[in-house]
Amino acid sequence: MAKLCMGLFSGSLDKLTAAGVILSGAAADDMDVEVFVLLQGARAFIKGNENKIDNLSEASHLKEEFISALDTLNVPTWYEFFEMSKEMTNVKVYICSLAGKIWGGEKLEDFNDLTDEICGIGEYLTAAEEADIHMFI
Amino acid sequence: MTQVELIDVAVKKSVDARGTACPGPLLEAKKAIGTISSGDIMEVLSADEGTKRDIPKWANKKGHEYLGTVEESGFFKIYLRKG
């Protein structure tokens, strides 16, 4: 079974959504997936923050157009994409411990239900080394 | 299969994914194919252009047979035989 390793650095809504779409594609393909949530990304994974993503990053001037299109096209939220993917295949979500601390998350219970473990950078690099596909978002 | 043959094919499962954009139809197909038996035929209704290429490629990879696509007005039907 193919293995996908994703470094999720971004915490912006557009990239979280893209990450969710890619995960769901991997789920349709029965891939094993490991997501390593790094600096900005970890903010979105703090418990209660999933609907408080105010940063669109690279296209902030198109925020309204983007949000309204997601709604019109009936696109699931980034969180729903992650949830669906976890239901369909083996997806593990790891939070970088430094990133967690930056946003006030020290322990596993400080993060949302998508989160499986808190990890160090060595584990991420080992997973990337062993994966068939590695991407950094 | 030809378009005419596909229209007459006995479908075991029909999935209407016209209300969703990519990756919705693929995810619906993935869920639905688990509910039918090997050899059964499933149709997926979609209005998302990406699905036309995505589902046949996915099916080949997963060992299902892609039978063809029938164009309708404003959407299309993709036919698969479960492997």
Side-chain angles (χ1 to χ4, degrees):
Chain A
M1 196 176 293
K3 200 170 157 188
L4 168 68
C5 175
M6 179 188 287
L8 179 55
F9 170 88
S10 176
S12 65
L13 189 61
D14 50 359
K15 288 190 175 173
L16 286 167
T17 305
V21 171
I22 293 166
L23 282 195
S24 66
D29 216 341
D30 303 311
M31 290 183 184
D32 277 327
V33 182
E34 292 187 301
V35 181
F36 290 85
V37 183
L38 310 174
L39 293 176
Q40 304 292 346
R43 187 165 178 265
F45 284 77
I46 295 277
K47 197 171 272 179
N49 274 5
E50 54 268 19
N51 296 318
K52 294 182 189 160
I53 315 294
D54 51 6
N55 173 27
L56 253 194
S57 184
E58 287 153 37
S60 56
H61 61 295
L62 298 174
K63 183 176 178 174
E64 283 177 19
E65 193 176 331
F66 177 59
I67 301 285
S68 108
L70 289 179
D71 193 42
T72 310
L73 294 169
N74 198 21
V75 178
T77 66
W78 76 270
Y79 193 91
E80 287 167 342
F81 273 124
F82 272 72
E83 269 184 327
M84 275 192 286
S85 305
K86 291 195 75 147
E87 282 165 18
M88 291 170 73
T89 194
N90 179 28
V91 179
K92 290 272 181 286
V93 174
Y94 303 88
I95 308 281
C96 160
S97 61
L98 170 62
K101 280 181 192 160
I102 288 172
W103 307 114
E106 294 265 348
K107 299 214 161 70
L108 198 54
E109 56 264 32
D110 297 327
F111 298 94
N112 63 30
D113 292 341
L114 302 172
T115 310
D116 293 288
E117 302 284 351
I118 295 172
C119 77
I121 199 68
E123 193 169 348
Y124 169 41
L125 293 173
T126 304
E129 193 177 2
E130 291 171 354
D132 301 292
I133 306 167
H134 172 233
M135 52 179 69
F136 186 85
I137 296 178
Chain B
M1 292 173 83
T2 67
Q3 297 271 308
V4 175
E5 284 169 339
L6 283 174
I7 289 164
D8 288 336
V9 88
V11 171
K12 188 81 178 178
K13 179 95 185 167
S14 180
V15 179
D16 189 349
R18 285 176 290 180
T20 63
C22 176
L26 176 63
L27 298 179
E28 296 286 330
K30 157 81 175 168
K31 281 179 198 162
I33 208 147
T35 68
I36 60 173
S37 307
S38 182
D40 288 345
I41 293 176
M42 177 171 91
E43 64 174 7
V44 182
L45 282 56
S46 175
D48 184 278
E49 276 297 310
T51 306
K52 277 186 191 166
R53 295 167 59 84
D54 216 22
I55 287 186
K57 281 179 185 291
W58 166 79
N60 284 336
K61 200 169 166 185
K62 293 285 135 197
H64 311 304
E65 186 186 355
Y66 167 62
L67 301 174
T69 301
V70 172
E71 293 284 342
E72 298 282 349
S73 176
F75 69 102
F76 48 88
K77 297 174 177 173
I78 297 174
Y79 291 86
L80 304 174
R81 182 184 284 121
K82 183 170 178 173

